[in-house]
Amino acid sequence: MLNFAPKPRRNAAETRERLLMATVQLMLRQGYAATTVDDICREAGLTKGSFFHHFENKEAIGKATIQWWGAFGTALYAEAWKEEGRDPLEQLRHFFGIMIGFTEREDQVCTCIVGMMSQELAQSHPAMREECARQLELWTTNCARMLAAAKAKHAPDADFDPEAVAWYLNSLWQGSMLVGKTEQNSALIRSNLRMALAWVEGLLSIS
Amino acid sequence: MLNFAPKPRRNAAETRERLLMATVQLMLRQGYAATTVDDICREAGLTKGSFFHHFENKEAIGKATIQWWGAFGTALYAEAWKEEGRDPLEQLRHFFGIMIGFTEREDQVCTCIVGMMSQELAQSHPAMREECARQLELWTTNCARMLAAAKAKHAPDADFDPEAVAWYLNSLWQGSMLVGKTEQNSALIRSNLRMALAWVEGLLSIS
DNA sequence: TTTAACATACGAACCGGTTGGTATCTTATT
DNA sequence: AATAAGATACCAACCGGTTCGTATGTTAAA
């Protein structure tokens, strides 16, 4: 049944979302410390009263930002493993394809909020570090699962630890975004990803 | 002959050095934005007047900090290639050994100021980004030189581009420090470095 | 009419940076 | 060698603006 009630001028969930998206955009550019609450309110077209109604403090929206980014990423990557019966090696190739796709978006710098917050806050803000660690672990778990399945199917005797390789790939991915951003060269990131995929395929070919 | 003259109360070079070292320590922990000029002065035991006598502004000491870190790193790595006649593959192994050693320092988190500043400032502070890019390029140039020499000697027909591999290794190294710091796990970094070295050795064995 | 959702106004602490001044070191002149 | 002149090194106090956060409204929805 259609809802003919006029759209409420106030919508708590939507307002919260606007504050959060503004924060994502800003922190993706300037990091945590350089992004002020005033910045966020201006970007969202709201006032401080509204901000502190929805978030207890700056740290709270920081954590929410990390979590939002994690969910955003997981949804993106999930394409790779959603088809259950698929060959895990094909899933891995798709996984790399998604990352390469992420470097090719128009007018969008290839960077990661989790990586940025990690660098900035890991040593000075334990709660934020833990939040980042959780997201990194999620990525690694998903990656390791595909690696383990691919190993079981294609090279059960191969001498590598799927989890260790997953951490390796996570590190390479994070570092590639970091270096690619600094060198303003996204082709560099793709080059790294291709080499890493070739390496993984090599690991899996010793059957 | 001993110098009984009282140590001069003022020593410009030493004062500048104290400010710089204080900045290195602080920014290595909290990054650029979260480190205030007052923090630096307190840590160095000096006042703001002195600070702004030696550095034009905060950005200036930021740049100096990146450069200091670059020189510090280069001095550390130079051990790997200082013996001219040495087998370049051995130099590469030594190079990896130096990085592994860097992860094993007691009570010192394995992190890199250039990587931290890159993440925080690459998109919002062009001058600082360029400074970081220069340091990354220095590392890569040195690494690529060893790779090229090793290739020429051991596997001239191998199908890899030394510079691309050097960027790959730089990315892996930066990403490993990032992830290792966030996961509070320096063994993870060493595991990554060992896998990368084995990969490089593999690249060089197709003679 | 009650309550949730927002706005306005404000405050204490802090930010990078400047000021005016003093102490000390260097150098040219005698 | 003594000293005067000037440059350098450093300090304490201060400045306008900004920070996060709060106290107190006001308005819309239930």
Side-chain angles (χ1 to χ4, degrees):
Chain A
M1 184 169 154
L2 288 172
N3 177 12
F4 287 105
K7 189 178 177 188
R9 286 196 43 250
R10 299 180 172 201
N11 185 326
E14 196 182 282
T15 299
R16 203 192 118 99
E17 182 78 0
R18 279 189 30 216
L19 287 164
L20 191 55
M21 296 314 293
T23 309
V24 169
Q25 280 215 159
L26 289 166
M27 293 195 178
L28 208 48
R29 261 193 66 81
Q30 0 175 22
Y32 180 80
T35 299
T36 72
V37 174
D38 283 314
D39 283 344
I40 297 168
C41 294
R42 200 177 316 120
E43 179 83 12
L46 293 160
T47 61
K48 283 246 267 283
S50 189
F51 179 93
F52 284 103
H53 177 73
H54 289 283
F55 295 95
E56 195 189 339
N57 49 32
K58 187 181 170 183
E59 179 184 326
I61 205 170
K63 284 190 198 174
T65 298
I66 295 171
Q67 284 161 4
W68 182 91
W69 186 259
F72 165 70
T74 301
L76 211 69
Y77 293 126
E79 285 287 319
W81 58 75
K82 73 173 179 188
E83 291 172 56
E84 281 186 30
R86 203 168 183 186
D87 182 337
L89 178 53
E90 277 307 310
Q91 292 187 352
L92 275 168
R93 291 203 179 100
H94 192 171
F95 189 56
F96 275 86
I98 290 165
M99 290 187 267
I100 287 178
F102 192 74
T103 71
E104 288 167 333
R105 297 167 309 157
E106 295 270 331
D107 306 320
Q108 290 257 43
V109 176
C110 178
T111 187
C112 170
I113 276 200
V114 175
M116 291 181 68
M117 299 255 196
S118 287
Q119 280 287 40
E120 197 179 343
L121 304 170
Q123 292 172 95
S124 53
H125 205 315
M128 217 70 93
R129 184 200 64 76
E130 280 175 39
E131 204 61 54
C132 290
R134 258 190 290 278
Q135 302 303 330
L136 293 181
E137 285 151 23
L138 223 81
W139 192 100
T140 304
T141 303
N142 285 323
C143 182
R145 200 183 56 245
M146 288 185 284
L147 284 165
K151 180 182 177 183
K153 176 164 183 185
H154 295 285
D157 299 330
D159 181 31
F160 72 89
D161 172 18
E163 198 181 316
V165 171
W167 279 117
Y168 176 99
L169 293 174
N170 196 344
S171 302
L172 179 76
W173 176 222
Q174 283 294 341
S176 297
M177 287 190 279
L178 191 163
V179 173
K181 185 168 74 172
T182 307
E183 295 290 324
Q184 297 185 316
N185 179 356
S186 67
L188 188 158
I189 310 176
R190 290 188 285 278
S191 160
N192 286 349
L193 288 170
R194 276 191 292 269
M195 282 191 265
L197 176 56
W199 174 65
V200 169
E201 288 174 335
L203 288 179
L204 289 166
S205 67
I206 312 160
S207 53
Chain B
M1 183 170 157
L2 288 172
N3 177 13
F4 288 104
K7 193 177 177 190
R9 290 218 326 54
R10 312 188 321 169
N11 184 328
E14 196 181 283
T15 300
R16 205 192 118 99
E17 182 79 0
R18 287 210 356 238
L19 287 164
L20 191 55
M21 297 313 293
T23 309
V24 169
Q25 280 215 159
L26 288 167
M27 293 196 178
L28 208 50
R29 260 191 68 82
Q30 357 175 19
Y32 181 79
T35 300
T36 71
V37 174
D38 282 315
D39 282 344
I40 297 168
C41 294
R42 199 178 316 119
E43 180 81 12
L46 292 160
T47 61
K48 283 245 270 280
S50 188
F51 178 94
F52 284 101
H53 176 75
H54 288 283
F55 296 94
E56 195 188 339
N57 48 32
K58 188 182 170 182
E59 179 184 327
I61 206 171
K63 285 189 197 173
T65 298
I66 295 170
Q67 285 161 3
W68 183 91
W69 186 260
F72 165 70
T74 301
L76 212 69
Y77 293 127
E79 285 287 320
W81 58 74
K82 72 173 180 187
E83 290 172 54
E84 280 185 31
R86 205 169 182 184
D87 183 338
L89 178 53
E90 277 307 310
Q91 293 186 351
L92 276 168
R93 292 202 178 102
H94 192 170
F95 190 56
F96 274 86
I98 289 165
M99 291 187 268
I100 287 178
F102 193 74
T103 71
E104 289 168 333
R105 296 168 309 156
E106 296 270 332
D107 307 319
Q108 291 258 43
V109 177
C110 179
T111 188
C112 170
I113 275 199
V114 175
M116 293 180 67
M117 300 254 196
S118 289
Q119 280 286 40
E120 197 179 344
L121 305 170
Q123 292 174 96
S124 54
H125 205 314
M128 216 72 94
R129 184 200 62 76
E130 280 174 40
E131 204 60 54
C132 290
R134 258 190 289 278
Q135 301 304 328
L136 293 182
E137 285 151 23
L138 222 81
W139 192 99
T140 305
T141 302
N142 284 322
C143 182
R145 201 183 55 243
M146 287 185 284
L147 284 165
K151 181 181 176 184
K153 175 163 186 185
H154 295 284
D157 299 330
D159 182 30
F160 72 88
D161 173 16
E163 199 180 318
V165 171
W167 279 116
Y168 177 100
L169 293 175
N170 196 345
S171 302
L172 179 75
W173 176 222
Q174 283 293 341
S176 297
M177 286 190 279
L178 192 161
V179 173
K181 184 168 75 173
T182 307
E183 295 290 324
Q184 297 185 317
N185 179 356
S186 67
L188 188 158
I189 310 176
R190 290 188 285 277
S191 160
N192 287 349
L193 289 170
R194 275 191 293 268
M195 282 190 266
L197 176 57
W199 174 65
V200 169
E201 288 173 335
L203 288 179
L204 290 166
S205 67
I206 312 158
S207 52

